[in-house]
Amino acid sequence: MTIQSGFSQPVLDSQACFRQVLAALSEPGSVNTLGLHIGFEPLAASVCQIVLSLCDNHTQLFVDPSSLMESQSTLDNVIENIKFHTDTKISDKSRADFVITSASSPFVAEDYKSGTEMYPEDSATILLETNSFEGGTLLQLSGPGIEHTRQVRLGHIHSSLLDALIQPAYKYPLGQDFIFCCGEQIVAISRTTKVEISACM
Amino acid sequence: MRSVNEHINQSAQSEQNYNFAYLDEQTKRMIRRAILKGIAIPGYQVAFQGREMPMPYGWGTGGIMLSASILGPKDCFKVIDQGADDTTNAVSIRQFFEKVCDIEVTQKTANASVIQTRHRIPEHSLVEGQILVFQVPIPEPLRFIEPRETRTKKMHAYSDYGSMQVKLYEDIVQYGHIATSYAYPVIVHGRYLMDPSPIPKFDNPKLHMSPALLVFGAGREKRIYCIPPYTDVKSLDFEDHPFSIQQWDQACAQCGSHDSFLDEVLIDDQGGRMFVCSDTDFCQQRQGNSND
């Protein structure tokens, strides 16, 4: 068990990371870079920075063990580091505000919070580790934050996740917001974003 | 007795004891999470835990809490109150953030990365990447129709917005036209009814497909809501009474603008009056003055 250092300047670094996440979510499909922390191995740097800047003892975090970690001790080490720096609560899938999982593992939207008609904000933000933003199916996005359309590739993602993006399990305003993370880069897909498989390949 | 200079030095040092941007980190994270939810659900009012600020409610505490959570050392900050950079409220908020953030401030709309505003949207068109923070007194557009929060919450859940159309219809019956001229209700992304804060309806068209991110903060009522860039925002109207904005016969007395929002100013006790742009930066630029 080793505790690694967090942000070198917690106040300014979390502000800078928040602004990148803000830009990513307000312009779905745009690639934004979080380069202020190397991350807790084997999690992507961007995933760790989002957690470091947004999670605290008022949020619940679920780290999907099956899809990410090589061994139980690696998982424990990552969770200890996250808990040490953020004091966030580790919870099960159904109650998590933030979820860390892999884009290449099967995705079941019903596992996570999606809000209620009265409180649609009570829903999970899902951080998905992916392998690249250059490979994978070419997707066309439209909706709030996108002037006309925007094209994006999300790397190798599981077919169930692709289905969930194209046909969300919940009717707006219910739903979940996705942040795809690859190394230091992030691409967000909001619940308002319409995702289609791009016609021009 | 200490000299004035000693006193100023001492108070300047004491401000360094505050966290960057005044608020503590826990509060900023909570507000940041609320902003992100607000962006994911455009026009929906996200409740947040408002904090006591060093100024009374009604002075823009909601906007200040949002700005404090958004601003970083690289930002350039502008504050307007009714379009003006030089009114008491705008000057004091600008000085507050100069003190607690030590950031660059500006009066030029084009130079600012974050603009906090009360009751106006700048005339100079905003660009991608800019963030406009609105101070909101009453975030709930249905409040004067239905005083119970439990009920308005349900009305939003069911998109039960007929009563707002009836309110506008009553205007037509009584006055022959829709008399609502500010805080004119809008539907955001085809779903949520939203109060755009008391901006004149003249500014409503600027909300639609705005390249800038628009965030709204109500300090007393503890609500945050957002409009992401390029979002459909429709002002409520009727087929036979389409939405229209204010128009003036006069041009601005100072810069001659025909297409800006004008304030009527009394200039003597003989009934003399003049019309001037409410956006001071826009007016100054048109007159060829640099105000930075």
Side-chain angles (χ1 to χ4, degrees), chain A residues 97-116:
Chain A
D97 302 302
F98 289 89
V99 172
I100 302 177
T101 184
S102 162
S104 57
S105 60
F107 178 77
V108 183
E110 288 78 5
D111 283 353
Y112 308 109
K113 283 199 296 186
S114 58
T116 61

Side-chain angles (χ1 to χ4, degrees), chain A residues 34-73:
Chain A
L34 297 141
L36 295 165
H37 189 268
I38 55 165
F40 307 125
E41 286 282 327
L43 287 186
S46 51
V47 170
C48 291
Q49 290 174 71
I50 294 171
V51 169
L52 286 174
S53 52
L54 291 175
C55 291
D56 56 29
N57 57 0
H58 286 178
T59 61
Q60 312 216 48
L61 175 73
F62 172 73
V63 186
D64 190 345
S66 57
S67 61
L68 286 175
M69 309 301 168
E70 292 97 17
S71 68
Q72 189 61 38
S73 62

Side-chain angles (χ1 to χ4, degrees), chain B residues 35-275:
Chain B
I35 295 173
L36 294 176
K37 288 295 180 199
I39 288 169
I41 315 165
Y44 172 79
Q45 299 164 51
V46 184
F48 76 109
Q49 307 148 36
R51 296 286 186 258
E52 291 289 331
M53 296 302 286
M55 56 204 72
Y57 291 130
W59 282 65
T61 51
I64 292 167
M65 281 187 266
L66 283 178
S67 296
S69 307
I70 290 170
L71 285 172
K74 287 177 196 155
D75 279 311
C76 186
F77 191 50
K78 168 182 163 90
V79 189
I80 50 173
D81 174 5
Q82 302 269 15
D85 290 274
D86 49 6
T87 51
T88 313
N89 200 196
V91 170
S92 56
I93 293 172
R94 193 163 59 235
Q95 287 180 346
F96 175 74
F97 281 106
E98 263 185 302
K99 267 183 189 165
V100 296
C101 291
D102 196 23
I103 51 167
E104 195 188 339
V105 295
T106 183
Q107 298 196 9
K108 288 203 179 91
T109 304
N111 293 355
S113 57
V114 179
I115 304 170
Q116 181 169 333
T117 175
R118 174 176 174 270
H119 300 193
R120 273 314 305 280
I121 296 175
E123 304 288 357
H124 192 286
S125 47
L126 300 172
V127 296
E128 281 183 32
Q130 283 183 314
I131 301 175
L132 192 57
V133 179
F134 292 77
Q135 303 168 201
V136 182
I138 299 166
E140 179 51 71
L142 299 163
R143 185 58 71 232
F144 292 109
I145 298 169
E146 171 53 64
R148 289 168 296 181
E149 171 68 13
T150 47
R151 183 77 196 111
T152 52
K153 193 87 182 141
K154 278 195 177 141
M155 291 166 84
H156 284 294
Y158 301 147
S159 305
D160 178 9
Y161 299 142
S163 52
M164 183 55 90
Q165 292 281 0
V166 172
K167 180 177 174 281
L168 298 180
Y169 172 72
E170 282 171 349
D171 268 6
I172 297 172
V173 172
Q174 202 166 356
Y175 307 109
H177 63 276
I178 298 174
T180 307
S181 59
Y182 68 95
Y184 192 101
V186 294
I187 293 277
V188 183
H189 187 49
R191 176 61 178 81
Y192 281 105
L193 182 70
M194 195 197 90
D195 181 343
S197 85
I199 58 170
K201 66 176 181 179
F202 179 86
D203 286 339
N204 271 27
K206 297 178 198 165
L207 298 169
H208 177 65
M209 297 303 271
S210 158
L213 169 65
L214 313 173
V215 294
F216 299 76
R220 179 171 27 212
E221 304 284 327
K222 300 176 177 49
R223 293 290 185 277
I224 289 170
Y225 50 100
C226 307
I227 304 178
Y230 303 116
T231 300
D232 177 66
V233 180
K234 187 180 184 315
S235 304
L236 290 186
D237 61 357
F238 298 95
E239 269 177 26
D240 51 346
H241 283 89
F243 174 78
S244 63
I245 61 171
Q246 289 102 329
Q247 282 173 331
W248 290 264
D249 300 329
Q250 299 84 351
C252 170
Q254 289 183 329
C255 74
S257 168
H258 284 278
D259 47 11
S260 61
F261 188 84
L262 301 181
D263 284 337
E264 186 176 0
V265 183
L266 292 174
I267 47 175
D268 54 33
D269 56 1
Q270 310 298 311
R273 60 195 60 199
M274 68 194 278
F275 287 84

